[in-house]
Amino acid sequence: MLVTEVEFELPKGYVDAAGDLHRDGVMRLATAADEIYPLKDPRVQGWPAYLIVILLSRVVTRLGGVPEVTPGVIEGLYSEDLAHLQSLYNRINGLTATTLLITCPHCGREHEAEVPQPGG
């Protein structure tokens, strides 16, 4: 059976305007539309790093008692919580970093380097 939603708990939690803390939530699997449509968003076109904010606002379906998870809610997360959700997004959607073997142009030694995926 395909699991399409995953529950999570944020390390720190989102604090809303009333000062209430929200830590538990649900993230669903991303669709092709979730990854494609944000690319048309002017905020992403002007600042590509904003892509993860839009992506997460689309796939986080519940965050505590917050009525709606919007880009503004994602913007309000602490850095540790954002990193936690990025990692979860990559894990549940089968997106892992690609490891490449590269050669240093200065010393000629080979070592591995990771290339991050879109949610990372």
Side-chain angles (χ1 to χ4, degrees):
M1 182 172 166
L2 178 64
V3 176
T4 61
E5 292 187 333
V6 175
E7 293 183 4
F8 63 82
E9 184 174 319
L10 295 175
K12 294 200 179 333
Y14 171 72
V15 180
D16 65 20
D20 295 325
L21 181 65
H22 307 273
R23 291 186 65 200
D24 61 311
V26 175
M27 181 184 292
R28 66 170 173 76
L29 291 176
T31 64
D34 292 324
E35 297 224 347
I36 295 169
Y37 290 144
L39 298 174
K40 296 166 90 174
D41 189 298
R43 295 168 292 186
V44 173
Q45 290 177 347
W47 186 23
Y50 200 75
L51 175 62
I52 192 59
V53 172
I54 302 293
L55 280 173
L56 291 175
S57 71
R58 292 176 64 100
V59 298
V60 173
T61 59
R62 184 177 61 77
L63 181 57
V66 176
E68 180 183 9
V69 180
T70 64
V73 169
I74 301 300
E75 286 176 4
L77 293 173
Y78 294 107
S79 295
E80 184 179 3
D81 292 330
L82 179 64
H84 179 79
L85 290 178
Q86 286 177 295
S87 176
L88 179 61
Y89 178 91
N90 287 334
R91 191 169 61 251
I92 70 171
N93 288 292
L95 303 173
T96 57
T98 302
T99 303
L100 301 174
L101 187 62
I102 61 171
T103 304
C104 176
H106 302 289
C107 68
R109 297 174 92 178
E110 290 186 337
H111 61 92
E112 291 182 350
E114 284 190 356
V115 179
Q117 294 299 316

